Amino acid sequence: RDGKIVISGSSSDDFLLTCHDNSGGCATFACPEPHGHWKNNPSTWPADTLTLGGKAYAKSELLALLKVSTQTDASVILARQLIAAKLNIESGSDPAPVNSTITDAVSLLSGYAGKLPYKVKPSSASGQAMSAYSSVLGNYNNGLLTPTCQ
């Protein structure tokens, strides 16, 4: 109806949606993967380092954060979702649904000295903000904010 042709396809765990129109206005984005995917498949990572809160983390440090199973440190809970979101974006997922959340989360984490974990209680004001950002990023990483990936 709008002159666009939409093509989709999948292969194992990957899914890609693309569209074509005469104006070249369509974009192609990969569907995001949950943080568990990145934890269990480090060989597929598009980057060996990421910056969280203004601090650079090596792949080994990022993997260690992804493997922490705490529910009592809001900074680690946020870091897991932030790592996944950044890896998803590096892998070609649409950043638009979470750009502002990532900016806000990075700004919040940059207020802490040193590297994670920061031992932030989820009930504190900062912990509540971290939990809110984690929720948005988790929804993104699970494809809930990208309608073509649901």
Side-chain angles (χ1 to χ4, degrees):
R1 190 167 97 168
D2 61 2
K4 296 177 182 166
I5 300 169
V6 177
I7 302 166
S8 66
S10 65
S11 170
S12 70
D13 290 336
D14 297 324
F15 183 86
L16 185 67
L17 179 73
T18 184
C19 71
H20 302 276
D21 68 5
N22 293 334
S23 68
C26 295
T28 301
F29 295 109
C31 290
E33 299 284 355
H35 84 274
H37 167 82
W38 299 111
K39 175 179 77 172
N40 296 322
N41 298 285
S43 65
T44 65
W45 286 26
D48 288 328
T49 61
L50 291 176
T51 302
L52 305 175
K55 295 153 194 91
Y57 289 80
K59 189 174 193 175
S60 60
E61 294 172 298
L62 297 166
L63 274 168
L65 287 169
L66 287 175
K67 292 178 180 181
V68 172
S69 63
T70 184
Q71 294 300 318
T72 60
D73 186 346
S75 69
V76 173
I77 295 166
L78 174 58
R80 288 192 304 234
Q81 297 300 336
L82 186 57
I83 291 165
K86 286 185 164 215
L87 290 171
N88 280 318
I89 291 166
E90 288 284 328
S91 292
S93 296
D94 184 2
V98 290
N99 271 337
S100 64
T101 302
I102 288 174
T103 299
D104 293 342
V106 165
S107 177
L108 182 58
L109 290 175
S110 67
Y112 290 85
K115 290 190 171 182
L116 289 148
Y118 300 129
K119 299 181 178 148
V120 178
K121 294 183 190 278
S123 59
S124 70
S126 292
Q128 290 176 6
M130 289 178 184
S131 295
Y133 299 147
S134 297
S135 179
V136 172
L137 294 172
N139 286 339
Y140 170 76
N141 294 329
N142 287 302
L144 301 177
L145 302 183
T146 48
T148 57
C149 297
Q150 292 180 8

